[in-house]
Each structure stands twice: as structure tokens, then as C-alpha cells.
Amino acid sequence: RIRHILTMYPDAEVLSEMIQNADDAGAKHVKIILDLREHARKSLLAPTMSDWQGPCLWIYNDSLFSPSDWKNVVRVGQASKLQKVQTGRFGLG
């Protein structure tokens, strides 16, 4: 489900969507960090994880993560999220 949702976001809109999600959550601050570090590729749980050892983009906001937020993460892309009125384009992620 997550892979399908990510294909719906054009690359140029990902940051905008993350900021809109923070706004939906009531955040007052959003921080975006480009982390160019590369991490060790040894001793991983699976060899396929080596592609995920950096660099990366960190996105942080100061809203609180509630129990209902966790339920929405677990049910990503399901109808309960689609019924909310949100700033975000898709209300899915």
C-alpha cells in the first residue's frame, strides 16, 4: 500500500505534502535536513538493506503523535483517513 501511495506523489510535491501533513497535525515548526552520511553496510539484517544506509532526507515537525495517528499509520490508505478534511493533497500518507 505504501509503495502505491508514494507513486501518486510527483517528486516535486513530496516536500510540500510533508509540510501540509505537519500543518494538518497542528505543527508550529517543520525542519528538513539533507543527511549526506553513508553508514556501514556490514552486519545488516538483510543484504537488501545496504541500499538504505544513506544519504537520506529527514523531515521533522513538532506536533504530538497521538494514538489515533498510530492507527492511521497502521491503516495507511484505508477509508478512515479519506474521510478527514485535511490540507494535504491525498490525505493518505
Side-chain angles (χ1 to χ4, degrees):
R1 285 187 255 168
I2 292 172
R3 182 173 298 176
H4 173 71
I5 290 169
L6 290 174
T7 63
M8 295 170 60
Y9 289 101
D11 291 341
E13 292 184 19
V14 171
L15 290 178
S16 176
E17 184 67 18
M18 296 297 108
I19 294 168
Q20 290 172 348
N21 287 345
D23 180 55
D24 290 342
K28 293 186 194 254
H29 298 96
V30 175
K31 297 187 186 234
I32 301 169
I33 301 166
L34 176 60
D35 184 352
L36 297 174
R37 294 178 295 172
E38 295 276 341
H39 300 284
R41 296 170 189 266
K42 298 178 184 177
S43 301
L44 299 172
L45 295 174
T48 56
M49 294 175 71
S50 66
D51 291 340
W52 299 96
Q53 300 308 303
C56 71
L57 186 65
W58 294 86
I59 302 174
Y60 161 83
N61 71 66
D62 64 349
S63 66
L64 295 177
F65 199 80
S66 71
S68 67
D69 292 329
W70 177 249
K71 287 179 185 175
N72 286 333
V73 167
V74 173
R75 296 185 313 223
V76 67
Q78 293 182 1
S80 65
K81 292 189 81 180
L82 298 175
Q83 294 167 359
K84 291 183 177 181
V85 175
Q86 298 177 324
T87 304
R89 178 173 175 192
F90 298 107
L92 295 174

